[in-house]
Amino acid sequence: TKQVAMSSLLSSIYSVLSSYNASERQRLESSVVNMSSRDRESLAQDVTLELDHEEVESSLADLDTTLAESKTSLETFEKKERFLGLRLGRYRELMDKREDYIKNLMDRMQQTNSNDELLNGTDEDDVENTNLDSLKEQIETLETKHAADQISLRRVENCHTDIIVQIEELRRNMCDLEEKRESIVKQRDECQDFLVAAAEYT
């Protein structure tokens, strides 16, 4: 690829550019001047042949498009993550309240059962039995619903975890793309600056 070719060229002239900083043009000029005319012309010719401006700019445009698409995807996933995070917090709060409510019903059932033993054989015994049966039925219904909701909650939690993983992967990919873009721009600029400096001293 052109990026590989550019990297190869840069390795050949790196001794010239190693001390170069974009804000310190004189260093590059000094390095170019110290090269032999033959070496300078040979490297300049190689750079000219390999540095395809259209292809480099096309590669940068492709990277910019991919980065823009990745940014859009990242924003979408982040919105989903925030939404699910808030919903999960609310779901867990409701589940905790239901567990407390079930526990209170079970305490009431136990108390009713104790009273039933004390009232055994009295008219009030029938009332207590009715209350006990009602509490048992209510508890069983709530426990069944609670168990089903716990399964649903775990599914949502897994989905939330998957989204977090996707967000981290997108961020890593974007960092890689940005580094690749910076590398191409740096190589392009160094090659162009070398050609300009070499032309001035030819």
Side-chain angles (χ1 to χ4, degrees), residues 12 18 61 70 74 86 91 103 124 138 153 169 172 185 199:
S12 299
S18 59
S70 298
L74 178 61
L86 291 173
Y91 288 157
K103 183 177 182 301
E124 296 181 10
Q138 189 175 1
L153 179 62
E169 289 179 351
R172 285 194 297 269
V185 170

Side-chain angles (χ1 to χ4, degrees), residues 88 91 146-158:
L88 280 172
Y91 288 157
H146 194 67
D149 287 347
Q150 282 179 322
I151 294 174
S152 298
L153 179 62
R154 283 193 291 271
R155 289 174 180 168
V156 177
E157 287 173 337
N158 290 337

Side-chain angles (χ1 to χ4, degrees), residues 101 105 133-143:
Y101 183 63
L105 289 179
D133 291 339
S134 176
L135 283 172
K136 286 180 179 179
E137 183 178 351
Q138 189 175 1
I139 290 172
E140 289 175 358
T141 300
L142 286 173
E143 286 181 332

